[in-house]
Amino acid sequence: MSDILLPDGLITLIKSAIRAQVAACAVPGTTGPERVEQLTGYSRGTISRWQGDAYKDLPPLDVIFQLEFVTQKPIVSRALASLTSHRLVPLADDAGATDLVGDLVKTTSTGARVSSELGSALADGVVTPREAKAVKAAIGEHLDALTSVQRKLTGLAGKGE
């Protein structure tokens, strides 16, 4: 990264988005950093530096593109859009879909998982890093479910009356 002076908080926002993007790469049997290493060939040490607030290192843009494509979660892009007061929204998968009962079940389920994970984390009064990651993962699933139903409702609302 160059020595250009960036606004306060910008690096923190970028590093936070990168950490979330790396975490989103996790698949059963592998952690996010392990999967990023498999996908990109960069070492875990380098990936760790990309995520660490103490380092100026950032992943190359092509790596960000690759990770967002593989996960289908534009986490870094969404953070960058927010810097200019924009919002990144997905294109409607199936704007005509009206099976909202399935969406109701899914959002209820994912919301319950968020409550369960958070409740477990708070049970002893101390939230560990592992518990925080589990809660964040549950929140991510819930946000995905809510985004899906929001797209369907946007499509239905756009049809008029």
Side-chain angles (χ1 to χ4, degrees):
M1 197 168 127
S2 68
D3 290 331
I4 296 172
L5 200 55
L6 297 172
D8 289 341
L10 183 60
I11 287 295
T12 303
L13 173 76
I14 292 169
K15 291 288 190 166
S16 177
I18 291 167
R19 282 189 293 273
Q21 190 71 60
V22 169
C25 291
V27 293
T30 183
T31 66
E34 289 171 336
R35 183 72 175 130
V36 171
E37 181 182 32
Q38 293 169 357
L39 291 168
T40 66
Y42 284 94
S43 71
R44 284 193 217 160
T46 298
I47 295 164
S48 177
R49 290 178 68 87
W50 293 342
Q51 298 177 83
D53 288 328
Y55 305 101
K56 289 185 173 185
D57 303 36
L58 295 173
L61 197 52
D62 62 309
V63 169
I64 295 297
F65 290 158
Q66 181 182 14
L67 300 181
E68 288 192 351
F69 178 76
V70 167
T71 62
Q72 290 295 293
K73 295 181 181 187
I75 297 167
V76 175
S77 295
R78 189 172 289 124
L80 292 175
S82 73
L83 291 173
T84 57
S85 300
H86 286 81
R87 189 173 44 173
L88 189 63
V89 295
L91 298 173
D93 296 336
D94 187 2
T98 57
D99 176 25
L100 296 174
V101 174
D103 290 312
L104 174 62
V105 171
K106 178 142 182 149
T107 56
T108 302
S109 171
T110 58
R113 182 164 171 243
V114 169
S115 296
S116 173
E117 291 287 349
L118 188 55
S120 293
L122 294 172
D124 62 358
V126 178
V127 178
T128 67
R130 178 182 226 163
E131 290 170 330
K133 289 176 185 175
V135 172
K136 285 179 60 176
I139 289 170
E141 283 184 44
H142 189 53
L143 288 173
D144 288 346
L146 289 172
T147 299
S148 175
V149 73
Q150 183 180 33
R151 286 190 303 237
K152 289 179 183 178
L153 292 172
T154 298
L156 290 171
K159 288 183 179 179
E161 294 180 25

